[in-house]
Amino acid sequence: HGLLGEGLLPTLREVLASGTASKDATIIPCGAYVEAALFEDASLAKRRGPDNYRRQRCRGGAACAPARLGNARRLTPYVRVLDLSFSSPPARGAHAGAKVDLQVQKRGRVDAVGYRWRMDLGFGEGVSNWEDADDFQDHWWQMAQPLDAPFDIGPGVPFSLKATHTDTDIVFDVFFDAGFVTSAAALCACGLHVGYSTGRLASLPSDHRALAASCLRGDDTAEVWDVGDGAICALAC
């Protein structure tokens, strides 16, 4: 649901560098773009990611469960903040998009940056986790990343948003006209928490299933990798 959390970019780099795929191979999806907006959501107001999330070991449990947009109130339009090529995947490291201006439409408290994406499948086809996605994608919710420091805004206040991605995550920096304000980062440090999936949970061996369910529902004392669409995440320990 977060687009990059399941290791798409490093996998593609390895496949192309190793010669497993020919140089003129068709990559599906061949690319994607990300749109983001500012949201008010009381349920996210007290959730914070690790201060140094790229170096901190994942804590597991509810504290690292991904946040998704449900009844959040959108305060700005979505703006396109990031373009990614999968046909020519970027080198390992951080890659920043351009700073994009936001027009505030409603008064409220900004608790999080919410984002959605659309993948280009080639041949004129695409797939997305937008609100109007096809029925079979009804579980592909838009993602939310709480701000380090929530703040109040109103219509007419000029803001800008800048997105930076690594192999596993996307970070959003918020700017006022006077400069940097705050950031919104993933709640998980390992990049592998891709969401709770009851279908994947049911595929675990029975002796692990109860433990995984317990941990994913809020047991912060256990270390768990969420059971998501990636087979490498179908682990509980």
Side-chain angles (χ1 to χ4, degrees):
H1 306 283
L3 183 62
L4 297 179
E6 297 182 47
L8 176 61
L9 292 179
T11 300
L12 286 172
R13 278 202 306 270
E14 172 64 23
V15 167
L16 294 172
S18 66
T20 304
S22 64
K23 294 182 178 180
D24 60 349
T26 299
I27 307 296
I28 302 175
C30 59
Y33 65 84
V34 175
E35 295 184 337
L38 302 181
F39 283 84
E40 180 180 80
D41 189 335
S43 68
L44 299 175
K46 295 182 179 180
R47 297 196 67 182
R48 295 290 175 271
D51 291 336
N52 198 354
Y53 70 97
R54 288 193 181 91
R55 297 179 183 175
Q56 181 175 326
R57 187 173 181 271
C58 182
R59 299 186 302 262
C64 289
R68 305 182 190 176
L69 292 174
N71 297 319
R73 179 168 169 258
R74 183 162 56 86
L75 305 176
T76 70
Y78 276 105
V79 292
R80 186 162 172 167
V81 293
L82 206 58
D83 285 86
L84 297 136
S85 171
F86 300 147
S87 298
S88 301
R92 184 178 181 180
H95 302 271
K99 189 187 296 185
V100 182
D101 292 337
L102 283 171
Q103 298 297 320
V104 179
Q105 295 177 318
K106 300 176 182 177
R107 185 175 303 278
R109 186 191 65 243
V110 182
D111 295 311
V113 173
Y115 70 99
R116 62 189 188 183
W117 45 260
R118 181 172 181 81
M119 288 193 292
D120 182 359
L121 302 181
F123 315 104
E125 299 293 332
V127 66
S128 77
N129 68 339
W130 290 12
E131 296 85 346
D132 58 353
D134 294 334
D135 290 344
F136 78 92
Q137 297 159 221
D138 60 356
H139 64 296
W140 291 14
W141 296 355
Q142 301 78 45
M143 300 300 293
Q145 296 186 179
L147 292 174
D148 292 336
F151 59 91
D152 294 326
I153 60 171
V157 178
F159 277 93
S160 300
L161 198 59
K162 183 177 181 179
T164 301
H165 80 88
T166 64
D167 276 356
T168 56
D169 52 65
I170 302 173
V171 180
F172 300 94
D173 291 327
V174 182
F175 297 85
F176 185 55
D177 58 0
F180 174 76
V181 178
T182 186
S183 291
L187 290 162
C188 170
C190 71
L192 292 175
H193 280 80
V194 294
Y196 184 93
S197 167
T198 55
R200 296 300 186 273
L201 183 61
S203 71
L204 286 173
S206 57
D207 55 341
H208 289 164
R209 197 175 304 150
L211 171 62
S214 166
C215 296
L216 292 172
R217 288 170 183 161
D219 181 0
D220 286 334
T221 65
E223 178 182 338
V224 170
W225 289 4
D226 285 350
V227 184
D229 288 339
I232 60 170
C233 299
L235 303 172
C237 55

